[in-house]
């Protein structure tokens, strides 16, 4: 039993050190995205320059797009920061419990990890069996903002800048397709001889003048009109469902082992204290 506990403690220390590294990375990335926009500017600035040039060529003089990645993905950056902090706190209790056998740390760690594991199991079941419950909810939250706030290529609000950037960067058009923009209340589409069907940012080549035919008469050769931005980004971030579900399942098994080991350690510490009192 003593040998198994030793192996279990070593396993807990190694896994928690990995959690610690992941937590630090997530926290650092969140901080950089939230407060270090200048460090990421080289990544997105070419797209912004291209949008500005297209606007100037189309007759919008001296247009400057005040694009800030931190404003657009602020909530995601905050999620990274909070997740990183949670992992750091979790590993403190995990390492304290495994290395020093501190009873209160062992209890807190087991409770925290059990809650995380329960939530993860529910997510895996939903994600694997009924993925649309997750994806449809996200889509439903994205589309209304387009209808109320999207202003077109020359829009300077967050929604317009975000979609113009995403359409060009991910080579796509809207959440599901160009139809998500149809009827947007602030989007001006009635240009002389070129009434727009899709946003100009959905064109494969941004207009270099007043010829907006790529958006007024879109086709697969000149426009990303039928390409879903959500699907493009989802595939890049989540990837293959089977692989993602497998990774999550392996993570759940590791967490279960950690819970069992830390609980056994807690019981061992408790037993030793009782023996000493006896």
């Amino acid at each position: 039993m003593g040998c198994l506990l030793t192996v279990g403690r070593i396993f807990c220390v190694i896994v928690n050190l990995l959690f610690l590294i992941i937590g630090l990375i997530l926290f650092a990335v969140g901080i950089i995205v939230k407060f270090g926009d200048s460090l990421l500017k080289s990544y997105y600035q070419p797209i912004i320059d291209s949008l500005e040039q297209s606007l100037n060529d189309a007759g919008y003089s001296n247009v400057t797009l005040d694009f800030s990645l931190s404003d657009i993905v602020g909530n995601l950056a905050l999620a990274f920061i909070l997740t990183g902090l949670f992992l750091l706190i979790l590993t403190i209790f995990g390492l304290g419990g495994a290395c020093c056998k501190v009873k209160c740390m062992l209890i807190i760690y087991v409770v925290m990890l059990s809650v995380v594991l329960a939530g993860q199991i529910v997510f895996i079941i939903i994600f694997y069996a009924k993925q649309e419950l997750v994806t449809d909810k996200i889509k439903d939250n994205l589309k209304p903002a387009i209808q109320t706030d999207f202003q077109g290529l020359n829009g300077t609000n967050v929604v317009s800048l975000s979609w113009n950037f995403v359409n060009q960067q991910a080579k796509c058009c809207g959440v599901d397709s160009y139809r998500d923009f149809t009827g947007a209340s602030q989007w001006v589409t009635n240009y002389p001889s070129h009434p727009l069907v899709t946003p100009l940012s959905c064109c494969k080549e941004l207009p270099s003048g007043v010829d907006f035919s790529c958006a007024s008469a879109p086709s697969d050769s000149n426009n990303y009109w039928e390409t879903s931005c959500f699907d493009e980004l989802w595939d890049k971030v989540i990837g293959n469902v089977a692989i993602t579900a497998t990774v999550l399942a392996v993570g759940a098994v590791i967490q279960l082992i950690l819970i069992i080991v830390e609980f056994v350690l807690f019981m061992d510490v408790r037993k030793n204290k009782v023996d000493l009192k006896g």
Side-chain angles (χ1 to χ4, degrees):
M1 184 66 177
C3 182
L4 287 175
L5 273 178
T6 301
V7 173
R9 289 176 66 189
I10 294 172
F11 176 79
C12 285
V13 170
I14 293 173
V15 173
N16 278 287
L17 285 175
L18 289 175
F19 283 170
L20 180 64
I21 293 171
I22 294 171
L24 288 171
I25 292 173
L26 289 175
F27 183 76
V29 169
I31 291 294
I32 291 172
V33 173
K34 185 70 176 175
F35 304 106
D37 195 60
S38 58
L39 297 175
L40 301 171
K41 202 167 186 178
S42 60
Y43 168 72
Y44 62 76
Q45 193 58 45
I47 299 293
I48 301 305
D49 292 341
S50 178
L51 290 170
E52 289 180 349
Q53 184 61 49
S54 182
L55 285 170
N56 290 327
D57 292 342
Y60 300 99
S61 58
N62 300 320
V63 175
T64 300
L65 300 178
D66 187 16
F67 182 88
S68 173
L69 189 62
S70 60
D71 290 342
I72 293 171
V73 297
N75 290 334
L76 181 60
L78 185 60
F80 272 40
I81 293 171
L82 294 176
T83 302
L85 282 175
F86 177 79
L87 285 176
L88 292 175
I89 294 170
L90 185 67
T91 53
I92 289 173
F93 286 107
L95 291 172
C99 296
C100 307
K101 293 185 177 181
V102 180
K103 194 163 71 169
C104 64
M105 284 188 163
L106 288 168
I107 295 172
I108 294 173
Y109 184 80
V110 168
V111 171
M112 290 175 69
L113 206 55
S114 296
V115 172
V116 172
L117 179 59
Q120 190 170 322
I121 291 172
V122 172
F123 179 78
I124 291 172
I125 293 171
I126 295 174
F127 182 81
Y128 190 74
K130 207 75 174 173
Q131 188 181 150
E132 60 270 18
L133 290 178
V134 178
T135 57
D136 288 353
K137 184 67 175 176
I138 298 173
K139 288 181 179 182
D140 290 342
N141 287 330
L142 290 172
K143 292 180 180 181
I146 293 177
Q147 288 296 308
T148 57
D149 297 328
F150 184 74
Q151 299 171 341
L153 192 64
N154 62 324
T156 56
N157 61 10
V158 171
V159 171
S160 301
L161 287 169
S162 300
W163 280 108
N164 288 332
F165 177 79
V166 170
N167 288 339
Q168 281 292 297
Q169 182 64 32
K171 301 182 182 350
C172 56
C173 190
V175 180
D176 284 317
S177 72
Y178 74 96
R179 297 175 187 85
D180 297 323
F181 298 96
T182 303
S185 59
Q186 295 192 52
W187 180 33
V188 178
T189 60
N190 295 321
Y191 288 92
S193 73
H194 289 295
L196 302 185
V197 176
T198 79
L200 291 167
S201 58
C202 292
C203 294
K204 291 186 176 181
E205 294 290 337
L206 288 173
S208 57
V210 293
D211 180 6
F212 297 160
S213 57
C214 64
S216 62
S219 67
D220 292 340
S221 63
N222 64 12
N223 199 297
Y224 302 116
W225 62 327
E226 293 286 4
T227 303
S228 164
C229 289
F230 183 87
D231 290 344
E232 289 292 311
L233 296 175
W234 182 267
D235 288 342
K236 288 179 181 178
V237 176
I238 303 298
N240 187 282
V241 174
I243 294 175
T244 303
T246 301
V247 171
L248 291 172
V250 171
V253 171
I254 291 174
Q255 291 173 62
L256 181 60
I257 294 172
L258 288 173
I259 290 171
I260 293 172
V261 171
E262 296 271 354
F263 181 75
V264 172
L265 281 172
F266 168 75
M267 296 303 294
D268 184 62
V269 171
R270 187 178 179 183
K271 178 178 176 295
N272 289 336
K273 286 190 175 182
V274 171
D275 291 343
L276 287 173
K277 287 181 180 179

